Amino acid sequence: MWTCEKPKERRLAEGDCHENVWTNPDPSTETTSEKAVQAWYDQGKYFNYETGKPTEEAKSTEAFEFINVVNKDTEKVGFAIRGPTVIGYYCPPADTSPDALKKSVPTVLKPPAAPIAPEGVELLDNTDAPCPILSGADTETPVRAACSSGNCCGPSKKDGKDSFDSCRKSD
């Protein structure tokens, strides 16, 4: 008799994470997790680093969505996209007490470094995948998401819409 190993559970346990929700304001453009994260990151203006609290009570949801994105204690992140809506799961939930937030929310924000595949691990072919700038467009040498071997990042257009950067076969 053959037995199969059950695949590892890829779902994040309900209640073990904070949840951010973003709806694309322009449904004629592609809805991506990158756009959602940028929107949540831009809400940092609603967080007061000195007090560890939202700048105003009416913007507490926005402040906490920002906190989820930058919190030093986040260990796992997952995204779900359906139609124009993105849900981001940040685990474990941040301690939202002001004293904890003063410690876990960085005051100097820097862009993440592009991930590097460990030795012996090959990136999957990601032709047509987006390769957004991760370091901020205003830096001297922008850092981009990595393309797989044989691909390079460059401007692309889809269906005559606005130009975007994607991984393409290098010729």
Side-chain angles (χ1 to χ4, degrees):
M1 171 191 277
W2 290 90
T3 59
C4 295
E5 187 176 318
K6 181 179 178 184
K8 289 185 177 180
E9 182 65 45
R10 292 183 53 197
R11 294 183 179 268
L12 300 172
E14 193 172 325
D16 291 345
C17 307
H18 276 163
E19 186 179 288
N20 286 3
V21 179
W22 176 76
T23 300
N24 187 348
D26 183 4
S28 68
T29 63
E30 183 179 18
T31 298
T32 66
S33 58
E34 289 86 357
K35 288 180 183 178
V37 170
Q38 186 63 53
W40 295 322
Y41 181 83
D42 291 345
Q43 295 176 150
K45 61 188 172 194
Y46 301 117
F47 179 72
N48 183 322
Y49 292 91
E50 291 179 21
T51 63
K53 297 179 181 179
T55 56
E56 53 187 277
E57 197 58 40
K59 294 294 184 179
S60 62
T61 297
E62 290 84 349
F64 287 114
E65 287 177 338
F66 164 74
I67 290 164
N68 288 337
V69 171
V70 300
N71 193 297
K72 294 177 185 177
D73 299 327
T74 297
E75 296 174 2
K76 294 179 185 178
V77 178
F79 298 97
I81 301 173
R82 185 170 193 179
T85 303
V86 177
I87 300 174
Y89 298 93
Y90 294 84
C91 315
D95 179 342
T96 57
S97 68
D99 288 338
L101 290 176
K102 288 185 214 176
K103 295 175 189 169
S104 65
V105 175
T107 55
V108 176
L109 301 176
K110 60 182 184 177
I116 299 172
E119 189 176 324
V121 175
E122 187 177 326
L123 291 174
L124 297 174
D125 181 10
N126 62 353
T127 301
D128 295 327
C131 53
I133 295 174
L134 301 174
S135 60
D138 58 338
T139 58
E140 191 172 313
T141 309
V143 175
R144 294 184 173 277
C147 293
S148 57
S149 180
N151 283 348
C152 62
C153 187
S156 301
K157 280 191 171 193
K158 185 174 183 180
D159 302 327
K161 301 212 176 173
D162 291 338
S163 177
F164 61 96
D165 292 333
S166 69
C167 294
R168 308 296 298 160
K169 292 286 182 202
S170 54
D171 297 323

